[in-house]
Amino acid sequence: MGESRFLSKLRAPSRVPLLGARGAQNGTTGRERSDQLSERVQRMLVTSLYAQPSSLAIGAIATVSAAIVSAWISGMTELYVAAAILTIIAVARVTAALGMSPDSENNSTASLEFVYEIGAFSFALALGCTAAFTILTGMQTQVEVLMVANALGYGIGVSARNAGRLTISIGQLGLTCVPIALACFWIGDIGFIALGVTILLLIPAMISIAKNIFNVLRDSIAAAETSRKLADKMQVLARTDVVTGLANRAGLNHAMVETMMGVDDTSQLALIWIDLDRFKEVNDLLGHPVGDRVLSEVAKRLSGVTPDGGTVARFGGDEFIVFCPIADRKQAEMIASEVHCEIMRPFRIDGERLEVRASLGVSLLPEHGKDADTLMQCADLALYHAKVGGRGQTCFFNSSMSRDLVRRREIEDELRAALQRDELSIFFQPIVDLETGKIKTFEALVRWFHPEKGELRPDEFIPVAEETGVIVTLGNWITAQAARIAATWPEEVTIAVNLSPLQIRAPGAALGIKNALREAGLDPKRLELEVTESLFVEDNHSTAAFIEELSEIGVRFALDDFGTGYSSLGYINSFPFSKIKVDRSFVSGAHVGRKSDAIIRAVAEMGNTLGMDIVAEGLETIEQVQAVKDAGCNLGQGYYFSRAVPDYLAAMLLAQEREQDERQASA
Ligand code: C2E
Ligand code: CA
Ligand code: CA
């Protein structure tokens, strides 16, 4: 019963807010609860009457046999009749007991007790009277002893056995003993009077024993009942999220198992995995209490849009899951869109307006999987794609996603090990002065030589490193290596290192770079950090602090991939960039033409005015070099000059240049 109530809670979370309020909400008072308890205890006590039917059978067989033997010894017809009556009652009781199982809810406790009582009393009375009859008619001693001993033994034994119901226990004892005692007194012999007195004394003694047994039995049943209820409650708590009152991970698993058991060929289900975008910022900026209230509010809204029979769960920090039956894919799309709208609707917490966005991954049964695990995997994958695809989106699973994931998981596992195993190295690509043709800078580009997969491009593993946070360790390693190698180059050659936004926002980011410079003994002026526009759109505060701290010691900043992102000129004005790198799509992309040429010209003109270097990326042909030079770029980078090369080749390029210079000087 506890189980089914719990399920209904899971399925309709919006209607059952918090556990603590449950009793009051259902309107059950303390008294009703204790009555329910005693009703259950009573039921268990009555059930104990029906337990161990073998002891009843043995009692009945012994008694009936004694009556038959007595009848045979004495030759008294009355005793044959008594044996027959006892047999009929015994058979009737067995039949009734077989027909009335205490396990069946259909048989009320009262009717079970009544049927037992009738049988028990009539058998006891018949037996007591038969024994009394042998005394009254002065039968042979062996007959009297056989029947009296039998009746007393039965009465005492059965009263202990049935102590679970005191009325029955005492009634049976009285009905067997009293007729015998009365018969003893009727005869009036001193011996019989003594026997009668003994039997009467036996009654209060047995009642006291039966009462004791009853108390112990009742208390232990009540205790077991209490601990069962406690265990039920603990189970509900263990499956409930304290912040939102929704199911937690364990609760979701339980509900999913239950739902999956009821699934047939026609069932359709949707699993929507919801991840609040950048919720950490809400916690960091406004504090955890506000964060918790937002989560509770989200929980309420999700419960509101989840169809009946669905489950809403909170799955870790800022992730939620809606799991519900659907009629078709269209309905799943509708629910997902409702979920999205509900979360986007601004929150009001303490009068403050707050906006939250979410990414959603959706998987469907049976389309994407037939078991809960597969559905979870598919929704997780779809969510991952939603987040990578720019957040704030809904993605339905499709099979191409799994291939990506397998590769991503492999990379994730191996990336940490790769750092230790020396599988990563840094290559250097020159950035050349378009006027003189001389190398001004080398851009450090990381390479991963995987023992099985071969060379992996940074585009494949940098996003994974960012996603998993490995980028911080990886980035520090790259900066340290690059600085160490750059320190061996001529003074005027600088090194450019790419930085991910995540790396910059990590605590102690600036310190990590300062340490790398110090350990390599590289002048901070020779380090240039390449950052992309996305950095400024996402976060301003820590980025500004980072740029300021490093600019102060002379580190320079370049704006990478310019033209691919938001291309707001605002931050070019507010941050001290010394260089703008025009993305290679303007040089060699599919849409290169008059428009891109005009853009390069405008950027170059702005650079010249502001005293910034303008680099054209991705130069592969002499024509492209000429074009960007004409457009006003002063630096160039691309395969036309050189691909990214290992450190010894970079050193060789520099040595060649110096030789050339020396030759020119001597000429
Ligand atoms: P990016 O910063 O724009 O780096 C330039 C990319 O363009 C490099 O690819 C380079 O090999 C490639 N490239 C250079 N010249 C040409 C050319 O003439 N034609 C063509 N088609 N491509 C050219 P790579 O090394 O695969 O790096 C890709 C991206 O990975 C980089 O783009 C950068 O965003 C990221 N990345 C590379 N190394 C690092 C690193 O150490 N740290 C971080 N955070 N990101 C890195
Ligand atoms: Ca770059
Ligand atoms: Ca670039």
Side-chain angles (χ1 to χ4, degrees):
M1 187 184 147
E3 199 77 318
S4 63
R5 253 192 295 154
F6 170 63
L7 274 179
S8 70
K9 172 183 163 44
L10 272 181
R11 300 221 166 105
S14 56
R15 285 170 286 274
V16 185
L18 276 178
L19 280 171
R22 171 83 97 36
Q25 204 196 24
N26 289 352
T28 29
T29 63
R31 220 195 106 54
E32 271 169 336
R33 268 201 300 276
S34 82
D35 285 354
Q36 273 169 16
L37 184 90
S38 64
E39 156 67 16
R40 269 191 67 87
V41 172
Q42 197 152 330
R43 177 81 180 190
M44 287 167 100
L45 289 170
V46 169
T47 303
S48 77
L49 297 174
Y50 284 81
Q52 288 179 317
S54 57
S55 65
L56 273 187
I58 291 170
I61 290 168
T63 309
V64 170
S65 316
I68 293 170
V69 170
S70 300
W72 180 67
I73 294 172
S74 62
M76 296 274 286
T77 322
E78 289 90 337
L79 282 184
Y80 280 114
V81 174
I85 291 173
L86 284 168
T87 309
I88 290 166
I89 298 174
V91 170
R93 288 185 75 189
V94 170
T95 317
L98 287 178
M100 291 192 74
S101 163
D103 296 336
S104 159
E105 295 281 338
N106 294 339
N107 297 322
S108 74
T109 308
S111 63
L112 282 170
E113 192 169 359
F114 180 71
V115 167
Y116 192 92
E117 211 168 52
I118 296 283
F121 286 172
S122 45
F123 194 81
L125 185 65
L127 183 56
C129 290
T130 309
F133 177 74
T134 61
I135 294 172
L136 289 175
T137 49
M139 287 186 192
Q140 295 100 311
T141 313
Q142 48 177 323
V143 172
E144 283 177 6
V145 170
L146 182 60
M147 280 319 295
V148 170
N150 208 282
L152 290 182
Y154 180 85
I156 292 168
V158 90
S159 92
R161 179 193 182 277
N162 293 343
R165 296 316 292 146
L166 272 183
T167 344
I168 295 178
S169 167
I170 297 168
Q172 280 183 296
L173 183 69
L175 290 171
T176 43
C177 292
V178 172
I180 301 172
L182 291 179
C184 289
F185 294 131
W186 182 264
I187 297 296
D189 280 3
I190 182 80
F192 276 109
I193 289 176
L195 180 60
V197 171
T198 313
I199 291 172
L200 287 186
L201 286 176
L202 209 63
I203 294 175
M206 265 323 290
I207 289 177
S208 146
I209 291 172
K211 269 189 174 160
N212 256 338
I213 298 176
F214 170 76
N215 287 341
V216 171
L217 207 63
R218 184 200 54 200
D219 292 351
S220 68
I221 289 177
E225 182 64 9
T226 310
S227 60
R228 189 188 64 84
K229 287 205 158 181
L230 210 65
D232 279 357
K233 200 170 171 180
M234 298 291 277
Q235 198 174 46
V236 172
L237 279 175
R239 290 173 182 164
T240 308
D241 170 49
V242 274
V243 175
T244 58
L246 295 179
N248 60 13
R249 192 177 283 250
L252 176 74
N253 286 344
H254 179 83
M256 282 180 108
V257 169
E258 291 277 325
T259 310
M260 291 317 250
M261 282 193 317
V263 156
D264 60 30
D265 287 349
T266 59
S267 308
Q268 296 205 43
L269 294 166
L271 195 150
I272 307 175
W273 197 321
I274 302 140
D275 186 315
L276 305 185
D277 292 336
R278 300 213 303 277
F279 185 72
K280 196 179 163 298
E281 284 170 24
V282 174
N283 271 335
D284 290 352
L285 294 174
L286 305 172
H288 282 266
V290 174
D292 284 357
R293 284 171 64 187
V294 173
L295 291 174
S296 298
E297 185 60 31
V298 169
K300 243 188 249 157
R301 293 185 184 183
L302 290 180
S303 302
V305 293
T306 303
D308 279 348
T311 300
V312 187
R314 176 166 170 234
F315 209 65
D318 56 359
E319 294 182 20
F320 292 86
I321 283 188
V322 168
F323 184 55
C324 59
I326 46 163
D328 50 22
R329 188 187 169 103
K330 235 192 168 71
Q331 196 195 352
E333 283 166 6
M334 213 182 68
I335 298 169
S337 126
E338 274 175 354
V339 164
H340 217 150
C341 292
E342 277 300 302
I343 295 178
M344 301 267 279
R345 200 153 53 78
F347 293 85
R348 265 214 183 273
I349 309 270
D350 290 340
E352 286 239 30
R353 202 182 124 101
L354 234 154
E355 278 179 33
V356 174
R357 298 205 316 162
S359 304
L360 273 66
V362 188
S363 64
L364 306 173
L365 175 135
E367 198 180 324
H368 302 139
K370 290 197 163 59
D371 59 89
D373 279 350
T374 315
L375 282 182
M376 289 290 282
Q377 275 170 15
C378 293
D380 183 22
L381 259 169
L383 175 64
Y384 171 72
H385 276 259
K387 287 200 275 189
V388 170
R391 297 177 184 275
Q393 298 185 3
T394 299
C395 269
F396 275 66
F397 173 78
N398 74 54
S399 54
S400 72
M401 292 177 178
S402 20
R403 289 194 296 276
D404 289 1
L405 182 81
V406 171
R407 197 163 169 84
R408 187 177 84 98
R409 289 270 152 85
E410 279 173 9
I411 289 175
E412 184 179 327
D413 290 343
E414 289 169 347
L415 195 51
R416 289 170 209 271
L419 265 170
Q420 259 117 46
R421 286 201 300 246
D422 251 3
E423 287 170 19
L424 294 164
S425 50
I426 301 180
F427 275 37
F428 299 90
Q429 188 180 32
I431 297 174
V432 175
D433 186 324
L434 292 176
E435 204 58 56
T436 63
K438 287 177 88 177
I439 298 171
K440 299 274 281 190
T441 308
F442 274 107
E443 178 177 1
L445 294 164
V446 66
R447 294 285 178 269
W448 181 0
F449 297 97
H450 191 282
E452 282 138 33
K453 297 193 182 86
E455 185 184 328
L456 292 174
R457 305 289 295 182
D459 291 336
E460 282 182 88
F461 64 88
I462 292 282
V464 179
E466 286 177 339
E467 177 79 11
T468 53
V470 185
I471 191 68
V472 177
T473 321
L474 181 64
N476 285 337
W477 179 84
I478 292 169
T479 314
Q481 296 289 311
R484 204 172 49 75
I485 290 164
T488 65
W489 299 334
E491 278 288 311
E492 67 279 7
V493 181
T494 57
I495 176 84
V497 175
N498 292 286
L499 288 191
S500 299
L502 211 113
Q503 215 180 326
I504 293 173
R505 286 193 213 114
L511 194 69
I513 288 173
K514 284 180 179 168
N515 284 344
L517 286 170
R518 206 189 45 243
E519 272 160 33
L522 188 76
D523 183 350
K525 289 186 187 64
R526 293 178 62 197
L527 176 67
E528 201 169 81
L529 298 176
E530 294 193 2
V531 298
T532 54
E533 293 168 300
S534 63
L535 184 65
F536 304 98
V537 178
E538 298 220 339
D539 178 346
N540 265 317
H541 190 69
S542 53
T543 308
F546 175 87
I547 295 183
E548 198 179 291
E549 188 173 348
L550 290 174
S551 297
E552 266 170 18
I553 60 162
V555 174
R556 285 179 300 161
F557 285 86
L559 189 55
D560 202 358
D561 301 344
F562 186 78
T564 55
Y566 306 87
S567 303
S568 145
L569 298 180
Y571 39 75
I572 295 185
N573 196 26
S574 7
F575 295 99
F577 289 112
S578 60
K579 193 181 266 181
I580 291 177
K581 299 186 79 177
V582 179
D583 190 69
R584 67 166 174 269
S585 56
F586 290 88
V587 176
S588 53
H591 307 293
V592 172
R594 277 201 12 230
K595 241 189 196 165
S596 58
D597 193 59
I599 292 171
I600 298 180
R601 263 172 215 283
V603 175
E605 202 177 312
M606 174 186 71
N608 288 335
T609 320
L610 299 174
M612 291 194 266
D613 286 325
I614 305 296
V615 188
E617 293 189 302
L619 300 175
E620 294 183 357
T621 63
I622 179 75
E623 289 79 20
Q624 288 166 350
V625 175
Q626 200 52 53
V628 297
K629 204 173 143 188
D630 290 347
C633 296
N634 63 329
L635 299 174
Q637 177 182 11
Y639 296 165
Y640 174 75
F641 300 108
S642 166
R643 289 184 177 252
V645 294
D647 55 353
Y648 66 93
L649 282 181
M652 221 155 82
L653 285 175
L654 290 171
Q656 272 174 1
E657 227 173 44
R658 190 181 299 180
E659 261 173 40
Q660 221 171 9
D661 282 356
E662 281 168 1
R663 247 185 278 130
Q664 270 172 2
S666 60

mmCIF file of all heavy atoms in Angstrom, residues 26-39 229:
data_model
loop_
_atom_site.group_PDB
_atom_site.id
_atom_site.type_symbol
_atom_site.label_atom_id
_atom_site.label_comp_id
_atom_site.label_asym_id
_atom_site.label_seq_id
_atom_site.Cartn_x
_atom_site.Cartn_y
_atom_site.Cartn_z
ATOM 1 N N ASN A 26 -3.587 14.821 3.214
ATOM 2 C CA ASN A 26 -4.562 13.781 2.966
ATOM 3 C C ASN A 26 -5.702 13.830 3.969
ATOM 4 O O ASN A 26 -6.668 13.114 3.851
ATOM 5 C CB ASN A 26 -3.913 12.399 3.051
ATOM 6 C CG ASN A 26 -3.009 12.186 1.861
ATOM 7 O OD1 ASN A 26 -3.010 12.997 0.949
ATOM 8 N ND2 ASN A 26 -2.250 11.126 1.894
ATOM 9 N N GLY A 27 -5.546 14.655 5.001
ATOM 10 C CA GLY A 27 -6.607 14.801 5.965
ATOM 11 C C GLY A 27 -6.654 13.686 6.986
ATOM 12 O O GLY A 27 -7.645 13.525 7.677
ATOM 13 N N THR A 28 -5.620 12.875 7.142
ATOM 14 C CA THR A 28 -5.632 11.823 8.146
ATOM 15 C C THR A 28 -5.180 12.397 9.473
ATOM 16 O O THR A 28 -4.187 13.083 9.556
ATOM 17 C CB THR A 28 -4.680 10.667 7.774
ATOM 18 O OG1 THR A 28 -3.648 11.207 7.006
ATOM 19 C CG2 THR A 28 -5.379 9.560 7.091
ATOM 20 N N THR A 29 -5.956 12.120 10.531
ATOM 21 C CA THR A 29 -5.569 12.614 11.844
ATOM 22 C C THR A 29 -4.790 11.532 12.565
ATOM 23 O O THR A 29 -4.758 10.382 12.142
ATOM 24 C CB THR A 29 -6.821 12.938 12.664
ATOM 25 O OG1 THR A 29 -7.518 11.707 12.843
ATOM 26 C CG2 THR A 29 -7.708 13.938 11.968
ATOM 27 N N GLY A 30 -4.173 11.905 13.708
ATOM 28 C CA GLY A 30 -3.397 10.955 14.492
ATOM 29 C C GLY A 30 -4.253 9.781 14.954
ATOM 30 O O GLY A 30 -3.848 8.636 14.931
ATOM 31 N N ARG A 31 -5.514 10.098 15.356
ATOM 32 C CA ARG A 31 -6.380 9.042 15.868
ATOM 33 C C ARG A 31 -6.690 8.012 14.790
ATOM 34 O O ARG A 31 -6.599 6.811 15.005
ATOM 35 C CB ARG A 31 -7.689 9.671 16.368
ATOM 36 C CG ARG A 31 -8.178 9.033 17.654
ATOM 37 C CD ARG A 31 -9.597 9.364 17.962
ATOM 38 N NE ARG A 31 -10.502 8.241 17.734
ATOM 39 C CZ ARG A 31 -10.381 7.038 18.244
ATOM 40 N NH1 ARG A 31 -9.343 6.738 18.985
ATOM 41 N NH2 ARG A 31 -11.277 6.100 18.013
ATOM 42 N N GLU A 32 -7.023 8.545 13.620
ATOM 43 C CA GLU A 32 -7.343 7.626 12.530
ATOM 44 C C GLU A 32 -6.154 6.709 12.239
ATOM 45 O O GLU A 32 -6.308 5.528 12.002
ATOM 46 C CB GLU A 32 -7.661 8.424 11.269
ATOM 47 C CG GLU A 32 -9.113 8.787 11.168
ATOM 48 C CD GLU A 32 -9.355 9.783 10.065
ATOM 49 O OE1 GLU A 32 -8.437 10.507 9.680
ATOM 50 O OE2 GLU A 32 -10.472 9.817 9.606
ATOM 51 N N ARG A 33 -4.960 7.326 12.309
ATOM 52 C CA ARG A 33 -3.781 6.530 12.015
ATOM 53 C C ARG A 33 -3.616 5.403 13.022
ATOM 54 O O ARG A 33 -3.312 4.289 12.678
ATOM 55 C CB ARG A 33 -2.541 7.418 11.984
ATOM 56 C CG ARG A 33 -2.231 7.934 10.591
ATOM 57 C CD ARG A 33 -0.799 8.340 10.493
ATOM 58 N NE ARG A 33 -0.475 9.401 11.446
ATOM 59 C CZ ARG A 33 -0.681 10.692 11.226
ATOM 60 N NH1 ARG A 33 -1.194 11.071 10.079
ATOM 61 N NH2 ARG A 33 -0.365 11.600 12.117
ATOM 62 N N SER A 34 -3.854 5.727 14.333
ATOM 63 C CA SER A 34 -3.653 4.690 15.334
ATOM 64 C C SER A 34 -4.711 3.608 15.180
ATOM 65 O O SER A 34 -4.471 2.439 15.415
ATOM 66 C CB SER A 34 -3.659 5.298 16.738
ATOM 67 O OG SER A 34 -4.976 5.468 17.172
ATOM 68 N N ASP A 35 -5.937 4.002 14.724
ATOM 69 C CA ASP A 35 -6.974 3.005 14.492
ATOM 70 C C ASP A 35 -6.582 2.093 13.342
ATOM 71 O O ASP A 35 -6.777 0.889 13.389
ATOM 72 C CB ASP A 35 -8.307 3.686 14.169
ATOM 73 C CG ASP A 35 -8.924 4.257 15.434
ATOM 74 O OD1 ASP A 35 -8.358 3.996 16.520
ATOM 75 O OD2 ASP A 35 -9.946 4.956 15.327
ATOM 76 N N GLN A 36 -6.012 2.740 12.315
ATOM 77 C CA GLN A 36 -5.577 1.938 11.175
ATOM 78 C C GLN A 36 -4.548 0.922 11.634
ATOM 79 O O GLN A 36 -4.551 -0.224 11.240
ATOM 80 C CB GLN A 36 -4.923 2.838 10.132
ATOM 81 C CG GLN A 36 -5.914 3.423 9.162
ATOM 82 C CD GLN A 36 -5.273 4.505 8.339
ATOM 83 O OE1 GLN A 36 -4.050 4.610 8.276
ATOM 84 N NE2 GLN A 36 -6.087 5.308 7.722
ATOM 85 N N LEU A 37 -3.690 1.379 12.543
ATOM 86 C CA LEU A 37 -2.643 0.508 13.036
ATOM 87 C C LEU A 37 -3.261 -0.667 13.780
ATOM 88 O O LEU A 37 -2.966 -1.813 13.517
ATOM 89 C CB LEU A 37 -1.705 1.291 13.955
ATOM 90 C CG LEU A 37 -0.517 0.499 14.454
ATOM 91 C CD1 LEU A 37 0.632 0.644 13.488
ATOM 92 C CD2 LEU A 37 -0.111 0.979 15.831
ATOM 93 N N SER A 38 -4.200 -0.350 14.710
ATOM 94 C CA SER A 38 -4.746 -1.441 15.496
ATOM 95 C C SER A 38 -5.559 -2.380 14.607
ATOM 96 O O SER A 38 -5.588 -3.580 14.840
ATOM 97 C CB SER A 38 -5.576 -0.902 16.651
ATOM 98 O OG SER A 38 -6.675 -0.218 16.139
ATOM 99 N N GLU A 39 -6.184 -1.814 13.563
ATOM 100 C CA GLU A 39 -6.923 -2.673 12.628
ATOM 101 C C GLU A 39 -5.964 -3.672 11.969
ATOM 102 O O GLU A 39 -6.244 -4.858 11.866
ATOM 103 C CB GLU A 39 -7.625 -1.781 11.607
ATOM 104 C CG GLU A 39 -7.967 -2.409 10.251
ATOM 105 C CD GLU A 39 -9.031 -3.515 10.344
ATOM 106 O OE1 GLU A 39 -9.731 -3.596 11.383
ATOM 107 O OE2 GLU A 39 -9.128 -4.298 9.396
ATOM 108 N N LYS A 229 6.433 0.803 8.755
ATOM 109 C CA LYS A 229 5.990 2.128 8.305
ATOM 110 C C LYS A 229 7.184 3.063 8.171
ATOM 111 O O LYS A 229 7.276 3.853 7.232
ATOM 112 C CB LYS A 229 4.988 2.715 9.294
ATOM 113 C CG LYS A 229 3.657 2.027 9.199
ATOM 114 C CD LYS A 229 2.559 2.943 9.683
ATOM 115 C CE LYS A 229 1.238 2.477 9.101
ATOM 116 N NZ LYS A 229 0.129 3.294 9.490
#
